[in-house]
């Protein structure tokens, strides 16, 4: 994707790209992924940066990943003993995953209109999805609450509005959605802003988990990005920097994280 543009939409920082957020865009984005390898690696149950948050899900519960791509997180959750399934509107990507393993509990669907009864799930996982609706996250969160039983847990992550991005928001021009709808890519949120969104839909936040510090530093600070992508720096150096960021105390580096996951309970 080409370089992003930044605007304010309804006061939120929004990123614009040559993008329409249609299934075909996401199919193209994931087309280079080796689905077979990704699914095989997921069978050990490791959830990477989200592992600690998975402890909030009801043990052995029925869990949906809304916006599952080719289903690696679903496979990992199943390996941990959850009755997990996934849904995504990128039909070619789902088809590629099912071609690798037809038994995968994946289906094509709309995360704003899920084909299940009220209170069907004990847990709900959404990783980097709610920020991509140009109308805002409300339709997705409303549906998340509908399909969760009372007391069920939602784990939802969105891009974090860091201090540098807040400064960018202040500088960005306010525009009308109609003028940029064909280029809208995603919104950014502070923890407080997204918690307010959750509460509007009877989802009570109780834990925060910033992650992706390395990505946040390289995306927000130009000289770090240039240094990490220098032809003089071996791949091992970038991997070492990424691992260092993963191990650093969240209380010290969480404000630089690219993403923020919130845990919320259905009330």
């Amino acid at each position: 994707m080409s370089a992003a543009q930044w605007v304010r939409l309804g006061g939120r920082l929004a990123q614009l790209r040559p993008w329409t957020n249609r299934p075909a865009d996401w199919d193209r984005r994931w087309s280079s992924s080796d689905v077979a390898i990704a699914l095989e690696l997921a069978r050990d149950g490791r959830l990477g940066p989200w592992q600690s948050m998975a402890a909030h899900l009801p043990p052995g519960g029925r869990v949906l990943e809304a916006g599952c791509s080719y289903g690696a997180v679903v496979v990992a959750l199943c390996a941990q003993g959850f009755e997990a399934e996934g849904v995504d509107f990128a039909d070619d990507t789902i088809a590629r995953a099912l071609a690798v393993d037809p038994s995968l509990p994946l289906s094509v669907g709309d995360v704003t209109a899920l084909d299940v009864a009220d209170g069907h799930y004990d847990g709900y996982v959404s990783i980097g999805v709610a920020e991509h609706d140009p109308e805002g996250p409300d339709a997705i969160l409303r549906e998340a609450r509908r399909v969760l039983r009372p007391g069920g847990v939602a784990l939802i992550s969105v891009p974090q509005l860091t201090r540098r991005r807040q400064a960018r928001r202040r500088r960005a021009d306010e525009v009308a959605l109609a003028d940029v709808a064909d280029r809208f890519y995603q919104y950014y949120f502070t923890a407080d802003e997204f918690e307010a969104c959750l509460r509007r839909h009877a989802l009570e936040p109780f834990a925060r988990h910033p992650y992706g510090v390395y990505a946040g530093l390289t995306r927000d600070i130009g000289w770090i990005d240039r240094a990490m992508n220098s032809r003089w720096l071996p791949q091992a150096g970038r991997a070492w920097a990424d691992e260092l960021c993963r191990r650093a105390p969240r209380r010290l580096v969480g404000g630089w994280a690219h993403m923020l996951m919130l845990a919320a309970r259905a009330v």
Side-chain angles (χ1 to χ4, degrees):
M1 290 186 288
S2 62
Q5 294 177 273
W6 303 93
V7 297
R8 279 183 292 127
L9 286 171
R12 295 191 187 110
L13 179 66
Q15 191 178 39
L16 306 181
R17 291 186 182 275
W19 188 267
T20 61
N21 272 313
R22 293 174 179 154
D25 290 305
W26 291 99
D27 284 326
R28 282 192 296 272
R29 179 167 182 168
W30 292 321
S31 63
S32 62
S33 302
D34 191 318
V35 174
I37 290 177
L39 295 176
E40 184 59 33
L41 291 173
R43 296 188 193 283
D44 67 2
R46 296 181 188 177
L47 284 167
W50 316 296
Q51 183 62 58
S52 62
M53 293 296 278
H56 296 303
L57 294 171
R62 182 184 291 162
V63 177
L64 174 72
E65 187 190 7
C68 64
S69 178
Y70 45 79
V73 169
V74 173
V75 170
L77 288 170
C78 287
Q80 291 193 22
F82 294 101
E83 186 183 338
E85 58 188 80
V87 64
D88 202 292
F89 72 167
D91 48 353
D92 284 353
T93 301
I94 293 292
R96 288 176 63 213
L98 292 176
V100 172
D101 183 353
S103 70
L104 292 174
L106 308 179
S107 61
V108 177
D110 180 354
V111 297
T112 67
L114 296 164
D115 189 21
V116 296
D118 295 359
H120 184 74
Y121 295 107
D122 304 299
Y124 176 100
V125 178
S126 173
I127 300 171
V129 177
E131 68 270 21
H132 292 295
D133 189 332
E135 300 292 341
D138 291 288
I140 292 172
L141 298 181
R142 184 182 306 113
E143 186 68 350
R145 175 60 189 89
R146 183 188 72 79
V147 301
L148 271 175
R149 64 166 175 79
V153 172
L155 304 180
I156 301 176
S157 76
V158 290
Q160 181 172 224
L161 190 63
T162 62
R163 288 192 183 91
R164 282 181 173 257
R165 292 171 188 163
Q166 289 186 56
R168 180 177 283 157
R169 178 170 64 176
R170 289 192 292 271
R171 296 191 301 268
D173 293 329
E174 180 75 32
V175 300
L177 178 57
D179 295 332
V180 297
D182 61 338
R183 292 176 289 146
F184 174 83
Y185 179 57
Q186 64 182 1
Y187 288 114
Y188 287 76
F189 301 86
T190 66
D192 288 345
E193 286 170 345
F194 201 69
E195 285 188 351
C197 294
L198 291 167
R199 289 191 176 101
R200 281 202 299 271
H201 301 286
L203 293 165
E204 183 58 35
F206 64 87
R208 298 177 177 180
H209 177 71
Y211 67 95
V213 174
Y214 177 84
L217 290 171
T218 53
R219 293 183 190 211
D220 283 352
I221 303 178
W223 70 265
I224 293 180
D225 182 41
R226 291 189 293 273
M228 289 296 103
N229 288 287
S230 167
R231 62 191 179 95
W232 305 108
L233 183 69
Q235 180 63 36
R238 288 187 283 275
W240 176 84
D242 187 21
E243 184 62 24
L244 183 65
C245 288
R246 288 176 186 269
R247 293 178 179 272
R250 278 186 292 159
R251 68 180 184 280
L252 299 179
V253 300
W256 293 104
H258 177 57
M259 298 293 288
L260 175 69
M261 178 170 278
L262 296 172
R265 187 166 285 108
V267 295

